[in-house]
Amino acid sequence: MADGGLARVLSKQTFDPENFVNKVSQGGEDELDEMQKKIQRLADETALALKRNVYKHYSQFIETAKEISILESEMYQLSHMLTDQKSIISTMLEMSLTSEEVVTPGEMELELPTEDDVQSSLSILLEKVEGCSSMLEAPGRHLVHDGDLLELDPESLSPIRELRAFLLNDVLMLAAWLPHRRGLVKYRFQSLYELDNLAIVNAKDTGSMKNAFKILMFPDTRTFQADSPKAKRQWLDKFEETKKKKTARDKQRKDATTPDRSSITSPLDSSNPFTVDLEPSSPVSSDRPQSVAIEADLLHLPWLQELPEDLDVCIAQRNFEGAVDLIEKANDYLDGCPKSAAIREYRGRIEHRIQQLTEILMKELQISPERSIRGGPRAARRAVTQLIRLGRSAQACELFLKNRSTLSKYSLRQVKIEGNTALYVKKLCELFFNTMAETCQEFIKAFPDHFGCHAAFVVWAKQEINEFLSTFKSQVFVNKTPFAVVSDCVQEMRKCCDQLSDIGVELTFVLDCLMAEDIEKAIQDAGDNQMDAVRHRAMEDNWLPMNFQNVTALQQFENSMINLGIKNIHKYTFGECFTELTQNTIQFTKSYLPFLDAMMTIYSSQHHRLITAAFVDILEAQIRHAQVCARDTKFTKEVV
Amino acid sequence: MMSKPKAQQPATIHKVIMVGSGGVGKSALTLQFMYDEFVEDYEPTKADSYRKKVLLDGDDVQIDILDTAGQEDYAAIRDNYFRSGEGFLCVFSISEQESFQATAEFREQILRVKNDENIPFMLVGNKMDLEDKRQVAVEEAQSRAQQWNVPYVETSAKTRANVDKVFYDLMRLIQRSKEASQNASGVKKPNSGKDKKDKKHRKCIIL
Ligand SMILES: Nc1nc2c(ncn2[C@@H]2O[C@H](COP(=O)(O)OP(=O)(O)OP(=O)(O)O)[C@@H](O)[C@H]2O)c(=O)[nH]1
Ligand SMILES: [Mg+2]
């Protein structure tokens, strides 16, 4: 390819564009032209090649992803088979009558499980339980025991739900059954309790309650029933054993970090790999104990140690601000610490409490039937503020707005339906837009500086208006509503909506868009009615001045015309009870002028043409009638 | 959230917690009250709970007894037990001075956890049948009870002396305290839908 050389020049690492251009421009116009074409061709080719490459890699990428997923499922099967085999071996061990097995646990007790065990048991667990992964990812965590339990109401002892319980080396996880699940995921994460503060109670059988035990974890007291006495015994034993191991482990770790106190003899110390005999003044010599010591020291501040439990108490007391304060305090502190296993583990402890708190806060914002709807915006704002601090502004925003929607709908339902449509609609509009304004103000207070959320507000407001309009339309744009009432209602709504712009929300245009069709139809219909009336009256016109029979009636007529805006009506009256105007003209005036008023009330530039057309058509029809009459021989006497 | 209690089961449950050093007879008292049996041999308790229907001043109620370990050495877990209790029987053995001294610590821990000076509480001197081995004088125990403003009763799990009395008296104290807190709360919160939870919270907040 002729351009190959050029491509090579251009893609040279040391390519100097200035120099290149200088050289090229010396050759004159033709050469420049030629060069331009060449470069253009080159650019096209490159683009094409690039595209092709992307596609080629894309299909490779998909292929790879497929491979990976196949590999993944194979790995899973493999690990499944391994655990099966393992359990077979362990049952065989149990069945064997030799005392071998009884001896080993004592020795194994302090040994940490091997990395493989940890990995496999935990990964299987992660796959079975939906929503637990983030919480369980702590180093060294492994499964000790699991089984099905029936949760009982702690008071009445009647069954509540079936659960799957997983005892890990430092926590207890409860998961709910997911019914009709075929795949790997069989359970949904429900709660996580740290063994440290978990109190287990053996509930003695009474009446219907058999094989039960309780778990006390402030503020929860939960009662569970095992399938059999043996299963219950196993749970209690495993709990005790695991808790003991954990305490031993913690103690060991603590001792390792406080070598000064190792002189206070403890049986564990002799076996403690981290305790080095030290002169009181000498610093810790080997690297590892030192780093362990530092990282554990970082965590051994009293306030930090008590923080998880303080957090529990705050949550139980619904002191949400306090809880979030604690969380922020902990996070601030932990952010300044080096990343290490101990810190990660500690973070995990905080993390699941954050989750718990978040759930409670979200519940605060959800309107439930049993909770009073008048919980008030302050309660909502409180929950929102804390959720924002927890970094959940999007959810907070969504829930907050949902909450407001429900509130708004509820208050609208409280408005009594009135016989008078205009009055009823007026009340609805005022209420709706007042609530909207309140929501807006609350929102600005609750989400200061969260501009992303403000967009959500606008979307929400639009939706609300749309919904409100369907109520509005069903009241206003129905066949029998007089046009004057329709236009009053529309005006009222626009007025209310305009008030929102005082606080920075401009929604009138949304309103107009959404109502445009209905308004057009209303205008059309009203105009048609006028036309019909004009034609109808024309047929009955006798072209005679009106006689009101007496002075009072004439007076009344004059007043009503003045009210309509015809101030010089006197010019057209004479005698005691006559007007020069015909019945037809009077009726037309009385109907056309209010129609004009209503039209101007409902007017918006959007409907300008339609409205003017209606005005003109009707007026023309009326004038045409007058012209026809003027030419009609029947009326030659009457026409002046 | 709560499923309805079965018709035949009384709705009221009084939650009693047995506290005191190891071997003073908490389990013996509980078992005597529950099953009219005295156990001779000593088997340290971990944490057992019992439930029984009783007639308290003409009303059907349930008593829920949590028998705790005297030997337990993790205070944090004890907190959790204590939090779940509405009334406490603080037991020592009249034949063992240390067990009497230990009652002060139990009292302190309970007050800290429950945050309520008036929590239903009784000081119980057990093993009164062992008069010849007495190490704690009646006056000594009474003066401590007075100081705490709680009743003092001596019992024997062996002879069943005063066993019913301590449980029933404590249930009455619990009943009275519940009524008082209900009256106090009745004005504030007419909403009774979830009063069970609220009550717990209120206790924590009082201070
Ligand atoms: N003579 C006599 N012996 C008693 C009495 N109460 C308990 N004992 C004996 O004291 C021993 C300990 O009683 P437990 O009831 O098991 O003690 P505990 O307070 O439950 O002890 P922990 O469960 O370890 O906290 C047992 O051997 C009982 O038989 C009593 O009133 N009189
Ligand atoms: Mg006992």
Side-chain angles (χ1 to χ4, degrees):
Chain A
M1 203 188 284
D3 302 336
L6 180 61
R8 270 170 60 194
V9 171
L10 287 178
S11 57
K12 235 171 45 185
Q13 201 118 76
T14 52
F15 174 68
D16 180 0
E18 209 142 313
N19 209 353
F20 180 75
V21 170
N22 263 340
K23 269 191 219 146
V24 168
S25 52
Q26 279 163 8
E29 202 176 326
D30 287 346
E31 208 164 307
L32 258 181
D33 235 16
E34 181 72 7
M35 188 47 112
Q36 197 243 343
K37 270 180 207 146
K38 269 189 195 167
I39 291 184
Q40 185 57 45
R41 204 157 46 227
L42 205 60
D44 291 347
E45 272 169 18
T46 317
L48 201 72
L50 202 64
K51 231 190 219 163
R52 228 182 271 131
N53 267 329
V54 168
Y55 282 132
K56 203 167 86 195
H57 286 115
Y58 191 64
S59 63
Q60 267 175 359
F61 173 75
I62 291 176
E63 208 103 297
T64 318
K66 263 189 212 154
E67 292 286 335
I68 289 174
S69 79
I70 291 169
L71 202 65
E72 208 172 31
S73 71
E74 275 174 0
M75 286 307 283
Y76 173 73
Q77 279 175 352
L78 201 66
S79 88
H80 201 77
M81 274 155 68
L82 279 174
T83 38
D84 277 355
Q85 297 210 330
K86 206 174 109 187
S87 72
I88 290 173
I89 291 173
S90 66
T91 38
M92 277 164 74
L93 267 176
E94 267 173 36
M95 283 193 304
S96 77
L97 293 171
T98 58
S99 57
E100 226 178 2
E101 214 242 338
V102 187
V103 183
T104 39
E107 292 165 14
M108 282 165 63
E109 206 114 52
L110 285 174
E111 240 170 65
L112 282 173
T114 65
E115 198 64 17
D116 290 347
D117 282 350
V118 173
Q119 228 53 5
S120 73
S121 68
L122 203 61
S123 66
I124 289 169
L125 183 60
L126 290 178
E127 279 176 277
K128 272 197 215 162
V129 183
E130 187 178 287
C132 73
S133 50
S134 65
M135 271 157 288
L136 292 183
E137 272 166 16
R141 224 172 228 177
H142 60 108
L143 183 63
V144 175
H145 186 62
D146 66 335
D148 294 331
L149 292 173
L150 180 65
E151 178 161 15
L152 305 178
D153 182 288
E155 308 269 302
S156 68
L157 303 180
S158 45
I160 306 178
R161 62 176 83 81
E162 282 195 90
L163 290 173
R164 181 87 178 175
F166 301 90
L167 177 63
L168 286 84
N169 56 321
D170 60 343
V171 290
L172 171 71
M173 177 172 77
L174 297 175
W177 282 82
L178 288 175
H180 321 303
R181 257 329 156 89
R182 276 289 183 75
L184 297 178
V185 182
K186 294 209 182 79
Y187 313 102
R188 175 171 301 119
F189 171 81
Q190 197 213 36
S191 38
L192 192 71
Y193 297 107
E194 277 164 32
L195 282 192
D196 278 337
N197 302 325
L198 195 72
I200 313 289
V201 175
N202 172 10
K204 299 284 178 173
D205 296 355
T206 49
S208 63
M209 183 187 64
K210 299 230 154 52
N211 314 322
F213 61 91
K214 293 187 197 176
I215 285 178
L216 309 185
M217 182 69 195
F218 184 70
D220 292 351
T221 296
R222 302 176 67 169
T223 309
F224 301 96
Q225 189 167 35
D227 299 340
S228 63
K230 190 177 156 228
K232 165 176 162 173
R233 192 71 262 156
Q234 227 170 7
W235 272 110
L236 292 179
D237 291 347
K238 289 285 182 195
F239 268 122
E240 206 191 331
E241 190 186 324
T242 316
K243 281 180 72 138
K244 266 203 192 118
K245 273 192 208 166
K246 175 150 180 16
T247 345
R249 220 172 34 243
D250 289 349
K251 193 156 173 262
Q252 204 174 5
R253 209 180 287 166
K254 203 168 173 180
D255 288 346
T257 61
T258 49
D260 303 25
R261 251 178 273 158
S262 64
S263 52
I264 305 163
T265 45
S266 135
L268 264 173
D269 280 348
S270 52
S271 65
N272 187 341
F274 295 150
T275 342
V276 192
D277 264 345
L278 301 168
E279 265 101 59
S281 61
S282 80
V284 185
S285 50
S286 82
D287 271 339
R288 185 143 176 232
Q290 191 169 23
S291 71
V292 169
I294 287 171
E295 119 198 346
D297 266 355
L298 285 171
L299 286 174
H300 262 128
L301 303 166
W303 69 267
L304 202 61
Q305 283 300 306
E306 276 161 26
L307 194 130
E309 217 187 324
D310 290 347
L311 205 51
D312 285 341
V313 173
C314 278
I315 293 172
Q317 290 178 341
R318 301 168 56 79
N319 175 6
F320 303 135
E321 291 80 6
V324 180
D325 285 347
L326 285 175
I327 290 170
E328 284 186 344
K329 195 174 161 195
N331 280 341
D332 280 352
Y333 179 78
L334 293 178
D335 285 345
C337 295
K339 290 207 164 39
S340 72
I343 303 273
R344 255 216 317 267
E345 193 184 316
Y346 185 85
R347 262 196 201 279
R349 294 175 64 191
I350 303 288
E351 210 58 47
H352 92 252
R353 288 176 168 88
I354 294 178
Q355 188 126 349
Q356 197 186 346
L357 178 64
T358 310
E359 262 162 37
I360 294 176
L361 286 171
M362 305 246 248
K363 270 215 190 91
E364 278 300 284
L365 286 174
Q366 276 155 14
I367 292 180
S368 54
E370 76 255 30
R371 176 118 49 76
S372 150
I373 199 153
R374 298 255 156 225
R378 228 163 297 119
R381 201 192 317 154
R382 189 174 160 224
V384 164
T385 312
Q386 303 316 318
L387 278 174
I388 292 175
R389 288 176 67 193
L390 290 174
R392 301 301 195 93
S393 55
Q395 278 107 319
C397 170
E398 190 185 317
L399 286 170
F400 176 83
L401 292 175
K402 238 188 223 155
N403 178 315
R404 294 297 301 184
S405 295
T406 322
L407 205 80
S408 166
K409 268 190 210 106
Y410 175 80
S411 53
L412 284 180
R413 270 205 303 276
Q414 300 305 103
V415 179
K416 292 261 168 355
I417 296 187
E418 308 235 5
N420 184 335
T421 308
L423 206 62
Y424 176 58
V425 168
K426 186 167 186 259
K427 276 189 187 169
L428 285 183
C429 287
E430 276 172 2
L431 194 65
F432 174 79
F433 285 101
N434 280 345
T435 317
M436 172 84 81
E438 197 182 282
T439 305
C440 181
Q441 277 157 341
E442 277 298 322
F443 193 88
I444 291 168
K445 265 188 245 169
F447 295 89
D449 312 323
H450 282 75
F451 299 116
C453 295
H454 289 197
F457 176 81
V458 174
V459 172
W460 171 83
K462 219 176 133 183
Q463 260 165 12
E464 284 290 290
I465 289 212
N466 204 351
E467 267 179 53
F468 177 67
L469 265 182
S470 66
T471 312
F472 179 87
K473 285 177 183 173
S474 71
Q475 289 296 325
V476 176
F477 294 117
V478 282
N479 273 342
K480 296 212 176 67
T481 320
F483 183 61
V485 173
V486 173
S487 63
D488 273 353
C489 290
V490 169
Q491 188 200 24
E492 183 62 35
M493 169 115 105
R494 284 201 190 120
K495 198 181 81 199
C496 289
C497 192
D498 276 341
Q499 278 164 6
L500 282 181
S501 57
D502 291 348
I503 50 173
V505 185
E506 178 58 60
L507 289 167
T508 318
F509 71 99
V510 177
L511 212 63
D512 279 335
C513 271
L514 291 168
M515 285 195 301
E517 241 172 71
D518 295 281
I519 290 181
E520 266 165 34
K521 186 164 178 303
I523 291 173
Q524 198 76 53
D525 289 352
D528 289 351
N529 279 346
Q530 288 285 327
M531 281 299 247
D532 286 350
V534 169
R535 283 194 203 108
H536 195 73
R537 281 195 297 266
M539 286 189 284
E540 295 175 350
D541 199 352
N542 54 11
W543 212 251
L544 287 173
M546 263 294 264
N547 180 354
F548 288 98
Q549 312 296 348
N550 57 52
V551 184
T552 6
L554 182 69
Q555 200 73 48
Q556 263 172 14
F557 161 73
E558 281 183 357
N559 284 342
S560 68
M561 290 312 257
I562 288 170
N563 279 344
L564 281 175
I566 303 178
K567 299 278 183 318
N568 58 355
I569 186 69
H570 297 293
K571 277 188 15 199
Y572 305 102
T573 55
F574 60 93
E576 290 217 317
C577 52
F578 286 101
T579 170
E580 288 168 344
L581 304 172
T582 63
Q583 168 103 23
N584 182 301
T585 311
I586 292 167
Q587 278 178 350
F588 174 74
T589 315
K590 280 189 171 171
S591 135
Y592 188 63
L593 288 181
F595 170 73
L596 284 184
D597 271 348
M599 281 293 221
M600 290 322 286
T601 308
I602 209 169
Y603 175 88
S604 80
S605 52
Q606 197 176 1
H607 308 298
H608 179 86
R609 276 171 46 137
L610 196 64
I611 289 175
T612 32
F615 285 165
V616 173
D617 288 351
I618 296 161
L619 208 53
E620 272 179 0
Q622 179 71 6
I623 290 170
R624 220 176 301 126
H625 161 66
Q627 285 170 338
V628 169
C629 288
R631 270 183 259 119
D632 196 326
T633 47
K634 195 167 67 178
F635 295 129
T636 34
K637 277 186 279 150
E638 282 83 1
V639 177
V640 188
Chain B
M1 183 189 99
M2 272 192 354
S3 54
K4 285 186 193 88
K6 283 180 192 154
Q8 78 266 27
Q9 258 169 354
T12 317
I13 302 176
H14 297 314
K15 293 177 188 146
V16 173
I17 299 194
M18 311 293 294
V19 301
S21 315
V24 297
K26 298 181 295 297
S27 304
L29 284 169
T30 309
L31 293 171
Q32 184 61 270
F33 177 72
M34 288 292 300
Y35 310 119
D36 294 312
E37 296 278 356
F38 176 63
V39 286
E40 281 291 349
D41 53 332
Y42 173 43
E43 190 186 308
T45 311
K46 280 162 200 145
D48 294 336
S49 81
Y50 301 83
R51 175 89 66 112
K52 186 181 184 173
K53 217 192 305 179
V54 295
L55 199 63
L56 179 69
D57 305 327
D59 289 329
D60 264 335
V61 300
Q62 289 196 78
I63 183 168
D64 191 302
I65 305 172
L66 176 59
D67 180 16
T68 63
Q71 316 250 341
E72 183 74 80
D73 37 10
Y74 326 126
I77 297 181
R78 222 185 246 151
D79 277 4
N80 269 324
Y81 291 130
F82 291 178
R83 279 189 182 118
S84 74
E86 296 168 334
F88 296 83
L89 290 180
C90 184
V91 188
F92 66 92
S93 161
I94 62 151
S95 63
E96 193 201 337
Q97 179 66 34
E98 282 99 326
S99 73
F100 177 62
Q101 296 311 334
T103 57
E105 285 159 37
F106 283 107
R107 167 88 180 163
E108 199 179 304
Q109 193 174 2
I110 290 166
L111 290 190
R112 180 173 57 71
V113 170
K114 299 302 284 189
N115 229 330
D116 178 6
E117 285 281 343
N118 300 316
I119 185 83
F121 184 104
M122 286 173 70
L123 186 60
V124 178
N126 188 38
K127 305 199 186 178
M128 70 184 284
D129 55 297
L130 301 178
E131 190 58 50
D132 49 329
K133 292 187 186 140
R134 184 183 278 275
Q135 286 185 7
V136 182
V138 178
E139 297 74 34
E140 195 183 352
Q142 256 165 356
S143 99
R144 175 167 287 185
Q146 225 158 40
Q147 193 189 322
W148 291 348
N149 201 16
V150 301
Y152 174 62
V153 182
E154 295 206 338
T155 57
S156 168
K158 190 170 181 178
T159 66
R160 209 168 204 279
N162 281 341
V163 169
D164 281 346
K165 179 180 166 56
V166 285
F167 284 100
Y168 277 91
D169 282 359
L170 184 67
M171 275 193 281
R172 289 194 187 97
L173 289 178
I174 295 174
Q175 179 106 45
R176 218 177 300 151
S177 126
K178 280 182 185 168
E179 277 162 11
S181 78
Q182 230 150 45
N183 286 343
S185 66
V187 193
K188 263 194 294 183
K189 266 205 175 166
N191 163 19
S192 66
K194 43 171 196 168
D195 57 354
K196 194 192 92 194
K197 256 211 171 127
D198 285 349
K199 230 179 283 159
K200 267 191 200 154
H201 295 154
R202 206 169 299 119
K203 276 180 191 152
C204 302
I205 296 163
I206 285 173
L207 193 89

